[in-house]
């Protein structure tokens, strides 16, 4: 078997490292000989490679830093070799001429260290205990961030030190120490200016409010806003979709909602919303919610930090999950830690009962899936020339079960079978985490995308006039949903920019999103296959244009059933079909496809000719089991569940307050739990 060639990125990293090492070696030889042309060439190559590293190869910089060969060491070595060259080229009795140059060079490096120390102090003053969005935080003396050049030591040394290096190189080439002195002097001036700019930010009136001031401001905001219900979320960058799917249902509640995050980076991962967002990284800050009016926290996922907020006794907690499926993760034993578990329909209630994970039936509340209220119902067979098939597989999961995702064992076969039908348009929407655990899934995903690109080239569809309207709609939507940050803006500057939203922005975003989605689908060439990986269009928008879904055992099935359109599930578990259906109730109304995709032609035939569709009644019945009744709407049931749990929280607070008053009369007046608004 031939040995696979190294991937181009790895080969490029190795090449850059070798070139930089060779440049330093050549510079050392040229300085010791001395050899001016070689010195000039080696130094130029060395500086050019540094620029390439900072622009395109940040990973190599991290590797150098771990090897104690960071930018400071490399820059000192580069300048030291130039000083050696100056000494070797000049006459022996001229060493004293270069002593001031060496001293000035050392002073420059001392200033570099001083700038870094002050930069760390400035960064600490700008690391607030509370990060907000959609809240007026102007009272905290927020200001734009320092220039990126002053905050990144490697880039700063490379830029500020360039005049000194160029001066030393010119002095060595021309034998004129004055050129070296001029270059070093310019570097010193740049360093002094940078140090001064940072020192000004440490003045009392120029830095943001201190930690205690911020906490007092946060307490005052809580008392003024008086939140009643919140969404609590913690997780990695790729998991933000789990919170985003609950933004609209949360915004439509009658109470005063708030979003509580734990990771600073997550503040920018939350999609466009007018709901106030607070990020509380420290547990001590999080505990301040105990004495607020917050009554209920909704949890769309479990995380290591969830246990921290569950310690707050004045708040009721409910687990809503970010989707329901027949996987074990949909009835995780951790769910028993919550006061209630809200599920879509009877099937999930039965799933918890059968799992026996400690969740009592009295704590399970059926609320439907409010996100699905906008999913359009089945309107008959495909009306146009093409049957639109949405292939939305899930990811490989953490347990390595081959039945988790169809991408590895069946994905390419399924897509080939679909592309073989000239009347099919494929929408491929892979899970955001595909390939994050199993490299085979990532490789299969790339091959599927290439199959689709090849099919599009062969189909050679032409763009429609609606593409111009799409650009206009996209610009309008971006204007409403994208904050205009300067490059290098930090969290404090983002708080300043993302202050309280203008009235009516949420409604404007909803209208702009609907207009964009309509323009997007209209702009696509008829029959052109699509790989959908961006935030837009959303999964539910894909549901509305699809005639058929092919997926795995995942929450996508349950959500798609809101439309009652035909769907199929790929069986890569190795189980016989009967056992597969018995193990996964969500497959009851599906066409089961084998990994070889042999059943795809018959499946397409049943979609195009509803009289051949034998599963329509089963889908309607399964929809009722999975999602509950159509009336009242899911949003109404969700809102009712929120009101009921808020009432339980208020009753609990009242009982605690009465008990405390009875135990210690007259001593709990100032620390009594605040009465939450109804």
């Amino acid at each position: 078997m031939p040995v696979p060639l190294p991937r181009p990125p790895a080969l490029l990293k190795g090449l850059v490292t070798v070139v930089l090492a060779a440049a330093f070696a050549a510079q050392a030889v040229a300085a010791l000989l001395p050899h001016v042309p070689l010195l000039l060439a080696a130094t130029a190559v060395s500086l050019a490679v540094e620029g390439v590293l900072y622009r395109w190869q940040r990973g190599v910089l991290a590797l150098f830093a771990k090897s104690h060969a960071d930018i400071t060491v490399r820059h000192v070595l580069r300048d030291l070799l130039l000083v050696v060259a100056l000494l070797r080229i000049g006459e022996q009795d001229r060493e004293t001429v270069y002593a001031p140059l060496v001293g000035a060079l050392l002073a420059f490096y001392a200033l570099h260290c001083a700038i870094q120390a002050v930069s760390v102090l400035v960064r600490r003053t700008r690391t607030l205990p509370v990060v907000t969005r959609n809240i007026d935080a102007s009272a905290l003396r927020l200001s734009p961030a320092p220039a990126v050049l002053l905050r990144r030591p490697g880039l700063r040394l490379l830029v500020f030190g360039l005049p000194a290096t160029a001066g030393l190189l010119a002095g060595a080439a021309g034998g004129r120490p004055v050129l070296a002195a001029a270059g070093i002097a310019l570097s010193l001036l740049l360093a002094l200016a940078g140090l001064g700019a940072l020192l000004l930010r440490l003045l009392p009136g120029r830095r943001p409010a201190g930690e205690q001031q911020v906490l007092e401001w946060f307490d005052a905001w809580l008392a003024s806003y008086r939140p009643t219900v919140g969404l609590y979320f913690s997780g990695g960058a790729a998991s933000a979709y789990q919170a985003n799917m609950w933004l609209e249902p949360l915004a439509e509640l009658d109470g005063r909602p708030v979003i509580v995050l734990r990771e600073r980076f997550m503040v920018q991962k939350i999609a466009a919303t007018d709901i106030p967002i607070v990020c509380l990284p420290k547990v001590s800050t999080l505990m301040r919610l105990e004495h607020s009016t917050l009554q209920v926290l909704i949890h769309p996922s479990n995380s290591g930090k969830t246990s921290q907020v569950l310690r707050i006794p004045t708040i009721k907690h409910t687990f809503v999950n970010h989707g329901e499926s027949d996987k074990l993760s949909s009835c995780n034993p951790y769910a028993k830690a919550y006061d209630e578990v809200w599920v879509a329909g009877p099937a999930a209630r039965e799933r918890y009962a059968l799992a026996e994970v400690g969740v009592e039936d009295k704590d399970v509340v059926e609320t439907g899936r409010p996100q699905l209220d906008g999913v359009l119902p089945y309107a008959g067979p495909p009306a146009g020339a093409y049957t639109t098939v949405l292939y939305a597989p899930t990811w490989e999961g953490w347990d390595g079960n081959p039945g988790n995702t169809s991408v590895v064992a069946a994905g390419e076969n399924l897509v080939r079978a679909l592309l073989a039908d000239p009347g099919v348009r494929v929408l491929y929407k892979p899970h955001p985490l595909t390939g994050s655990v199993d490299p085979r899934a990532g490789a299969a995903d790339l091959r599927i995308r290439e199959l689709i690109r090849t099919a599009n080239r062969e189909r050679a569809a032409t763009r429609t006039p609606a593409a111009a309207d799409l650009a206009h709609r996209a610009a309008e939507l971006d204007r409403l949903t994208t904050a205009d940050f300067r490059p290098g803006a930090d969290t404090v500057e983002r708080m300043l920019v993302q202050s309280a939203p203008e009235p009516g922005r949420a409604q404007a975003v909803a209208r702009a999103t609907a207009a964009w989605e309509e323009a997007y689908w209209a702009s696509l060439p008829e029959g052109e296959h699509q790989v959908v990986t961006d935030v837009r269009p959303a999964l539910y928008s894909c549901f509305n244009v699809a005639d058929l879904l092919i997926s795995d055992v995942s929450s996508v099935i349950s959500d798609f059933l809101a439309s009652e359109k035909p769907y199929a599930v790929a069986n890569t578990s190795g189980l016989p079909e009967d056992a597969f259906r018995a193990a996964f109730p969500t497959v009851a109304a599906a066409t089961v496809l084998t990994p070889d995709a042999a059943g795809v032609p018959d499946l397409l035939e049943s979609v195009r000719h509803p009289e051949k569709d034998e599963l329509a009644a089963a889908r309607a019945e399964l929809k009722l089991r999975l999602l509950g009744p159509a009336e009242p709407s899911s949003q109404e049931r969700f809102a009712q569940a929120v009101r009921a749990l808020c009432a339980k929280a208020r009753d609990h607070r009242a009982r605690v307050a009465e008990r405390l008053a009875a135990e210690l009369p007259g001593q709990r007046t100032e620390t009594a739990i605040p009465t939450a608004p109804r």
Side-chain angles (χ1 to χ4, degrees), residues 602-616:
D602 290 341
L603 172 63
L604 293 172
E605 184 72 9
S606 67
V607 172
R608 290 163 177 158
H609 302 282
E611 67 276 7
K612 299 180 181 181
D613 180 6
E614 300 176 353
L615 295 169

Side-chain angles (χ1 to χ4, degrees), residues 282-479:
K282 294 182 179 179
V283 178
S284 58
T285 310
L286 180 70
M287 291 299 110
R288 304 179 91 87
L289 296 177
E290 180 176 355
H291 301 292
S292 73
T293 57
L294 191 60
Q295 302 165 27
V296 168
L297 275 179
I298 297 169
H299 299 257
S301 70
N302 298 312
S303 74
K305 295 179 181 178
T306 301
S307 61
Q308 297 170 351
V309 74
L310 291 178
R311 293 161 52 189
I312 300 179
T314 59
I315 299 175
K316 292 293 184 181
H317 302 269
T318 179
F319 182 61
V320 296
N321 214 334
H322 51 275
E324 292 185 8
S325 71
D326 291 323
K327 293 180 181 178
L328 293 177
S329 58
S330 289
C331 49
N332 192 310
Y334 196 96
K336 63 176 173 283
Y338 302 94
D339 295 288
E340 292 185 354
V341 175
W342 294 355
V343 299
R349 180 187 292 275
E350 296 168 10
R351 189 181 302 124
Y352 272 108
L354 292 173
E356 297 183 0
V357 293
V359 176
E360 298 186 28
D361 187 71
K362 66 180 179 62
D363 296 326
V364 178
V365 179
E366 297 176 27
T367 63
R369 287 275 286 167
Q371 300 89 341
L372 305 179
D373 286 350
V375 174
L376 301 178
Y378 177 67
Y386 293 94
T387 301
T388 299
V389 181
L390 172 62
Y391 177 41
T394 190
W395 67 303
E396 58 270 24
W398 299 111
D399 57 7
N401 190 325
N404 286 342
T405 178
S406 60
V407 170
V408 177
E412 293 173 82
N413 292 335
L414 290 170
V415 172
R416 283 196 185 95
L418 293 171
L419 297 176
D421 189 316
V424 165
R425 175 178 68 156
V426 174
L427 304 181
Y428 173 51
K429 188 171 178 58
H431 193 283
L433 296 178
T434 300
S436 60
V437 172
D438 189 345
R440 296 178 303 165
D445 170 56
L446 293 178
R447 291 194 295 270
I448 291 172
R449 298 185 192 206
E450 182 56 34
L451 286 173
I452 292 174
R453 282 192 291 267
T454 301
N456 277 335
R457 287 194 294 268
E458 294 174 355
R459 185 163 283 185
T462 57
R463 290 286 165 187
T464 66
D469 183 50
L470 175 64
H472 169 71
R473 299 295 183 185
E476 175 64 13
L477 186 54
D478 288 341
R479 184 186 67 81

Side-chain angles (χ1 to χ4, degrees), residues 98-122:
Y98 298 102
L101 297 181
V102 174
L105 195 59
L106 292 175
F108 167 72
Y109 285 110
L111 279 174
H112 166 70
C113 295
I115 294 173
Q116 182 59 21
V118 176
S119 176
V120 171
L121 292 176
V122 171

Side-chain angles (χ1 to χ4, degrees), residues 56 372 575 623:
W56 292 292
L372 305 179
L575 296 172
K623 173 188 175 182

Side-chain angles (χ1 to χ4, degrees), residues 164-215:
T165 302
L168 289 169
L169 188 60
R176 300 176 62 189
V178 66
L179 297 177
I184 295 174
L186 182 55
S187 289
L188 283 169
L189 287 174
L190 290 174
L192 285 170
L195 181 61
L198 289 174
L199 286 171
L200 287 175
R201 289 181 171 271
L202 294 178
L203 295 176
R206 298 288 300 275
R207 62 188 180 207
E211 180 173 355
Q212 188 57 38
Q213 291 175 298
V214 174
L215 293 177

